[in-house]
Amino acid sequence: MAMADAGDDSVLTRLAATIEARKDADPKSSYVASLFARGDDAILKKIGEEATETVMAAKDGDKIQITAEVADLWFHCLVLLARHGLGPADVLSELTRREGTSGHIEKAARGR
């Protein structure tokens, strides 16, 4: 399995900046702008579609397809984050906060 460089999270930061720059563009010229123009339901629908495609690729065991579908899912999650004034740093901070805590303990602390 290919290992990413420790600094590869910067691609998420660059992609988030691109999304931010394009969200107010002409929806006819930008996919990101078209998602923003269509609203939350369009963004959420794409996340649902990409999550389903990720699951299907995983069930097939196709590593190339899994990677491609997770990339699509992450992209659309970045769009959702931008829609709410958030970005990769917010998610990374939350993951850092959870680091070293048992998943069972962390989930119980959230009360869900």
Side-chain angles (χ1 to χ4, degrees):
M1 180 189 311
M3 296 298 292
D5 293 334
D8 279 351
D9 64 329
S10 64
V11 72
L12 295 175
T13 302
R14 291 191 307 272
L15 185 53
T18 299
I19 290 167
E20 194 65 35
R22 293 184 182 165
K23 70 181 186 180
D24 294 321
D26 179 356
K28 293 178 183 173
S29 68
S30 167
Y31 175 70
V32 168
S34 73
L35 285 173
F36 275 89
R38 293 187 344 246
D40 287 341
D41 285 347
I43 295 168
L44 297 173
K45 181 179 177 185
K46 284 304 297 181
I47 289 173
E49 288 172 8
E50 299 305 341
T52 299
E53 291 170 5
T54 299
V55 169
M56 291 167 43
K59 288 192 71 74
D60 290 343
D62 182 338
K63 292 180 181 184
I64 293 171
Q65 196 62 32
I66 292 167
T67 302
E69 295 302 343
V70 170
D72 289 346
L73 179 58
W74 285 14
F75 172 82
H76 288 91
C77 286
L78 287 171
V79 171
L80 176 68
L81 289 170
R83 177 77 169 181
H84 292 278
L86 300 165
D90 298 294
V91 177
L92 293 172
S93 291
E94 177 61 13
L95 290 172
T96 299
R97 184 189 69 77
R98 295 179 185 187
E99 189 173 21
T101 302
S102 160
H104 294 299
I105 292 170
E106 194 283 326
K107 187 173 181 180
R110 287 186 278 154
R112 296 186 220 161

